[in-house]
Amino acid sequence: MQRIRLRYAKRGPLRFTSHRDFARAFERALRRAAVPIAYSQGFTPHPKISYASAAPTGVGSEAEYLEIGLQAPVDPEQLRIALDAALSPGLDILEAVIAPEGGGSLADRIDASRWRLELPEVEPVTAKEAVSAFLGAPEVLVERMTKQGRRTFDARGAVNSCTVTGEADLPSGAVGVPCAIIDLVVRQVTPAVRPDDVLSGLRVVAGLEPPVPPRVTRLAQGTLTAQGEIVDPLDADRGDVGIGGR
């Protein structure tokens, strides 16, 4: 059985696609593209698809990952092209690589994510003051509703770095509207700390309340180095030449 690892993006309105909806769309794309997907054994066989750390609904991403098992070998780039064509624009297959035998799982290579948080109508100086207060706190307790009920947890401990930049105008091109941009690196912990938890923490410590909903995009995920860089989980599989991508 051949294993292929894919990197895909959720862009534009398709960022509101839930993980379950994407899984259904991806399985339909496999059928439309006539991919020789392998199935599990037993009375209710399932396609061999393994997802790694899916982004929350409503969040854009340039770095989502999954792995599929195939009954027959295929060319990774041709597979990427076929699956990308079978999915709706905005759910984009960016890269495909062959997973080597004994190379471990994708989940073993992901322990952190980098996020971009766009805060329209928030002055960068205001965001910097809030981030400074957040980083200076020993812990920042926030609440979130989970499957086990409402939980209180520390949003500060998982944050590796959090910095603010500013753009004169909104990324959409609106004129004269400030927009603070937060670059955020968060380690994977239990319970998981998400960008909205960090935003809740900024409200707790500094009263930062964006007047319009922030736009959040995951830029990368992988292994966090001692220097604070994130290593792409597909790096070890690419060899000398990466396959696909755009």
Side-chain angles (χ1 to χ4, degrees), residues 132-180:
S132 179
F134 179 90
L135 295 177
E139 69 174 7
V140 179
L141 298 180
V142 298
E143 289 187 347
R144 189 208 309 153
M145 183 62 71
T146 69
K147 294 179 181 178
Q148 292 75 37
R150 186 166 293 279
R151 294 193 62 178
T152 300
F153 56 94
D154 177 26
R156 171 65 185 92
V159 174
N160 184 75
S161 66
C162 188
T163 58
V164 178
T165 61
E167 296 187 1
D169 301 312
L170 285 170
S172 63
V175 177
V177 180
C179 182

Side-chain angles (χ1 to χ4, degrees), residues 10 15 19 92 98 104 106 124 141 144 163 194 214 219 246:
K10 292 171 60 179
R15 70 185 185 277
H19 175 62
D92 303 320
I98 297 173
L106 273 175
L141 298 180
R144 189 208 309 153
T163 58
R194 307 181 311 202
L219 301 180
R246 61 167 180 240

